[in-house]
Amino acid sequence: MLTSPESGDSETTMEETSSEMTETVTEAAEEETDEETTVSPEEAAAEENRLDTEEILNSMTLEEKVNQMFFLTPEALTNVGVVTAAGEATKNALSAHPVGGIVYFAQNIESEDQLKTMISNIKGYADEVCKVPLFIAVDEEGGTVARLGGSNVLNLPNVPNMSDIGATGDSEKAYGAGNTIGSYLNEYGFNVDFAPVADVLTNSENEVVKYRSFGSDADVVSELALQFSNALKNNGIMSCYKHFPGHGATAGDTHAGYAYTNKTYEELLDNELKPFISGIENGADFIMVGHFSLPNIVGDDTPATLSSVIINDILKEDLGYEGIIITDSLSMEALTENYSYDEIAVMAVNAGADMLLMPDNFEQAYNSILNAVNAGTISEERIDESVRKIISKKLSMD
């Protein structure tokens, strides 16, 4: 049967229309798929960090992972009296114990060139013998606690006590203090500052953080600590909020022995915890836990550093902190007077600490964790949880 020109044109038109509709639907579906699969640069970077972190973690031995959880002085790493240089002894020590971080003090500083060279060398050795870079830290709060600024060796600008800045309530001054400190820490090669002090000075008898705290008003402390931290970050320096859950509520000094507060969790939430919550909401890199006791929260005199209630239940679960949790120095008498070196290290890890700062006896603390994993007292998954955070943070460093 012959088809008339009219009907032929009609069929052609219908075919073309159908084809055009199909193409339109296909294009729309492709556009929708493109929209669904579009990933922001931040999301792409986060996924790359996650994959790289897992690859490195899976390549590590248990010994390498446990080493990453320690933050040591150069003396504890090398077994040298006073370290003022980083040479073959440092490289060999790092090869044997690829620890997570090194913290320097005034005794390690002789001159600007010496400090820069020492830090540059140890970073270079870490690149050679470790699977991830080193955290290089210092206690540089300003005022009475300034290992570099107070060394009388380096020609650095004066940064006042945080109590003086807090008295003004001026957030720009807090930022300026952090900016000054962050600038010279970056110049010398540091990447972590154990600051700001986020303690709210609620106990008038407290002498430990009296001049180091921004004051007794939790909202002021929250804002000024945040500005100080932001300034550090803008200079490429990671900050560390301390001393969780608020050393300003105590009267005693954990350096010298037992210290405590009778405050309840609700009371801390209304006051001392506010600066830490602000830090968590704004991405605090580290939070340092203090050694004081909170019997009305924990139920006994266990120091916060060793308490699963304080770290796992409150800091991680209730407050949702996902960053690195580091202990205060494990050589302080609040711990060593009441616990053995083995107990301190194992209890801190089981409580939820990710990094252990300056144990009195590194080898003993290190071996106690290895033995606990081998005995099943600490699971390797628990170790992985902490080391995963450490690797991820190191991969994000500039």
Side-chain angles (χ1 to χ4, degrees):
M1 178 179 176
L2 297 175
T3 305
S4 66
E6 290 80 3
S7 65
D9 291 344
S10 175
E11 286 179 2
T12 301
T13 302
M14 289 175 64
E15 288 173 2
E16 289 175 349
T17 302
S18 175
S19 176
E20 288 172 0
M21 288 177 64
T22 302
E23 288 177 4
T24 301
V25 170
T26 302
E27 287 173 1
E30 288 175 352
E31 287 177 7
E32 185 176 341
T33 302
D34 288 343
E35 288 177 3
E36 290 176 355
T37 57
T38 298
V39 177
S40 69
E42 292 78 13
E43 291 172 325
E47 178 63 10
E48 182 179 5
N49 178 288
R50 187 189 69 79
L51 293 173
D52 290 344
T53 295
E54 290 303 316
E55 182 179 356
I56 293 171
L57 182 66
N58 291 333
S59 74
M60 284 180 160
T61 64
L62 174 61
E63 290 77 10
E64 287 174 322
K65 289 187 280 192
V66 171
N67 272 299
Q68 278 296 303
M69 297 178 73
F70 284 92
F71 226 118
L72 303 181
T73 64
E75 289 80 11
L77 176 69
T78 60
N79 290 314
V80 173
V82 176
V83 172
T84 56
E88 285 300 311
T90 298
K91 182 178 179 180
N92 293 337
L94 268 181
S95 182
H97 285 292
V99 295
I102 297 293
V103 55
Y104 289 103
F105 288 84
Q107 68 179 14
N108 305 120
I109 305 167
E110 293 181 333
S111 71
E112 290 195 358
D113 289 343
Q114 168 267 335
L115 179 59
K116 288 180 180 179
T117 300
M118 178 174 63
I119 291 178
S120 175
N121 284 353
I122 197 170
K123 283 182 172 180
Y125 295 142
D127 289 342
E128 289 183 46
V129 302
C130 304
K131 293 181 177 175
V132 283
L134 272 174
F135 289 135
I136 306 291
V138 66
D139 277 317
E140 199 73 10
E141 302 169 8
T144 57
V145 179
R147 312 305 184 189
L148 277 66
S151 67
N152 297 319
V153 174
L154 308 176
N155 184 25
L156 297 174
N158 177 62
V159 176
N161 284 315
M162 296 304 103
S163 59
D164 294 337
I165 293 175
T168 70
D170 190 337
S171 60
E172 289 186 5
K173 289 185 177 179
Y175 186 92
N179 189 53
T180 296
I181 290 172
S183 176
Y184 66 69
L185 291 186
N186 179 283
E187 179 185 350
Y188 292 121
F190 292 92
N191 50 40
V192 178
D193 187 9
F194 290 145
V197 172
D199 300 315
V200 182
L201 193 62
T202 55
N203 190 326
S204 60
E205 296 180 15
N206 186 294
E207 295 291 333
V208 183
V209 296
K210 182 176 181 178
Y211 300 107
R212 301 161 64 194
S213 165
F214 287 108
S216 58
D217 186 312
D219 293 328
V220 170
V221 174
S222 297
E223 176 60 21
L224 301 193
L226 176 59
Q227 292 304 318
F228 187 102
S229 175
N230 285 344
L232 290 179
K233 288 184 179 182
N234 288 341
N235 282 281
I237 305 296
M238 288 176 279
S239 66
C240 177
Y241 277 63
K242 63 186 185 185
H243 308 78
F244 187 87
H247 212 328
T250 71
D253 183 351
T254 50
H255 293 86
Y258 176 73
Y260 73 98
T261 174
N262 278 324
K263 292 208 170 186
T264 65
Y265 184 32
E266 291 71 24
E267 288 173 324
L268 290 182
L269 282 172
D270 286 340
N271 207 329
E272 286 83 1
L273 285 175
K274 283 186 175 181
F276 293 99
I277 292 171
S278 169
I280 291 168
E281 291 173 345
N282 287 281
D285 300 298
F286 290 77
I287 287 181
M288 181 181 289
V289 183
H291 300 318
F292 50 96
S293 301
L294 303 100
N296 283 332
I297 299 176
V298 176
D300 56 33
D301 288 335
T302 304
T305 326
L306 309 183
S307 170
S308 183
V309 172
I310 298 299
I311 300 180
N312 280 325
D313 297 351
I314 293 178
L315 182 52
K316 289 184 177 180
E317 294 299 325
D318 287 359
L319 302 184
Y321 184 56
E322 297 179 348
I324 297 175
I325 299 168
I326 187 169
T327 69
D328 205 343
S329 169
L330 297 182
S331 63
M332 290 161 64
E333 292 184 13
L335 299 185
T336 59
E337 283 185 350
N338 300 292
Y339 302 90
S340 69
Y341 299 143
D342 289 358
E343 288 176 317
I344 291 170
V346 172
M347 288 179 70
V349 172
N350 274 329
D354 300 309
M355 298 196 78
L356 309 181
L357 177 64
M358 295 167 54
D360 240 359
N361 187 316
F362 164 57
E363 287 285 352
Q364 191 168 342
Y366 165 78
N367 285 319
S368 72
I369 295 176
L370 283 181
N371 293 337
V373 175
N374 292 328
T377 309
I378 299 175
S379 68
E380 188 160 358
E381 289 73 21
R382 168 67 195 90
I383 300 297
D384 288 350
E385 176 191 328
S386 290
V387 179
R388 183 176 288 110
K389 290 188 202 176
I390 295 165
I391 297 170
S392 177
K393 182 62 69 176
K394 289 182 172 187
L395 293 182
S396 72
M397 293 192 301
D398 292 335

